[in-house]
């Protein structure tokens, strides 16, 4: 699946990224499926991230399922009709980017690390507009966010942002 995300942060900053998600499955029985795959994200500021993924999908009925994916994502999916699916979720939404010191912190390396940690909880409505394309508006809540600039094990600066709401609009392509 390919995706494009644009999120307006509470401070007015616009964070945009392109993502690719690939899963393989192994059906353990009629209701339980093992999921494994890879997530790749490219932030439009030039940073990339790749994560291996492992999870389980449990079908509770023909229309309702629960999905758990490491690292710590939980979602409930309800397929209301052929083209519309409701998804409710809670998941981490963290960022880890290398940044340049630019002599801002005297006596420190030029290569520092920016970390941002928070949780997202919300819901989305997925509209299947064709066999391969999905529109997915999403609304949710972002927990209090902690940001740090680090040099190895030393925290050089730390800030916290208050909790906020967010809106996101996704267009997804699936090569099915």
């Amino acid at each position: 699946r390919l995706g494009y995300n644009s999120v307006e942060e509470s401070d007015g900053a616009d964070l945009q990224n392109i993502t690719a998600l690939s899963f393989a499955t192994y059906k353990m029985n009629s209701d339980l499926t093992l999921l494994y795959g890879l997530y790749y994200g490219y932030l439009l500021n030039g940073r990339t991230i790749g994560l291996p993924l492992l999870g389980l999908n449990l079908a509770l009925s023909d229309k309702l399922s629960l999905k758990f994916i490491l690292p710590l994502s939980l979602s409930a999916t309800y397929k209301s009709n052929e083209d519309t699916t409701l998804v409710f979720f809670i998941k981490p939404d963290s960022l880890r980017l290398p940044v340049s010191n630019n002599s801002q912190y005297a006596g420190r390396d030029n290569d520092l690390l920016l970390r941002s940690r928070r949780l997202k909880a919300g819901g989305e409505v997925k509209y299947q507009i064709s066999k391969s394309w999905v529109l997915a508006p999403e609304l949710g809540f972002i927990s209090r966010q902690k940001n740090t600039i680090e040099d190895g094990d030393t925290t050089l600066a730390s800030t916290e942002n208050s909790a906020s709401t967010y809106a996101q609009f996704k267009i997804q392509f699936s090569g099915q």
Side-chain angles (χ1 to χ4, degrees):
R1 179 188 325 176
L2 297 175
Y4 171 79
N5 299 321
S6 180
V7 179
E8 185 173 336
E9 299 289 330
S10 58
D11 64 1
D14 190 30
L15 178 62
Q16 300 176 0
N17 68 15
I18 297 170
T19 59
L21 178 65
S22 178
F23 268 111
T25 61
Y26 176 76
K27 196 160 190 89
M28 300 173 81
N29 63 42
S30 62
D31 296 330
L32 187 61
T33 304
L34 175 66
L35 307 167
Y36 54 97
L38 181 66
Y39 167 86
Y40 176 80
Y42 175 77
L43 295 171
L44 296 184
N45 67 0
R47 308 293 186 201
T48 61
I49 185 171
L51 291 173
L53 301 170
L54 180 65
L56 294 172
N57 190 48
L58 176 62
L60 301 175
S61 72
D62 290 343
K63 292 187 172 205
L64 183 63
S65 67
L66 291 177
K67 186 183 297 180
F68 177 73
I69 300 173
L70 292 173
L72 304 176
S73 171
L74 179 64
S75 64
T77 302
Y78 179 74
K79 189 156 182 74
S80 60
N81 63 43
E82 186 77 19
D83 298 325
T84 307
T85 304
L86 304 173
V87 180
F88 299 95
F89 58 84
I90 184 166
K91 60 187 174 184
D93 187 38
S94 300
L95 196 58
R96 185 180 162 146
L97 298 173
V99 294
S100 292
N101 184 354
N102 294 329
S103 302
Q104 194 168 10
Y105 298 99
R108 296 295 179 172
D109 287 341
N110 191 45
D111 297 323
L112 302 176
L113 184 65
L114 169 66
R115 290 182 143 195
S116 175
R117 299 173 201 86
R118 62 188 184 183
L119 284 176
K120 285 172 69 172
E124 69 180 331
V125 180
K126 293 184 175 184
Y127 300 104
Q128 189 80 38
I129 57 174
S130 74
K131 186 176 178 180
S132 299
W133 290 95
V134 174
L135 297 178
E138 179 180 308
L139 295 172
F141 174 80
I142 298 173
S143 70
R144 183 179 54 129
Q145 177 178 345
K146 183 175 181 179
N147 304 301
T148 58
I149 296 178
E150 301 170 358
D151 183 11
D153 293 334
T154 305
T155 299
L156 303 176
S158 179
T159 63
E160 287 192 17
N161 297 358
S162 60
S164 63
T165 57
Y166 74 96
Q168 183 174 6
F169 184 77
K170 298 184 279 188
I171 299 172
Q172 299 171 333
F173 174 78
S174 176
Q176 298 178 357

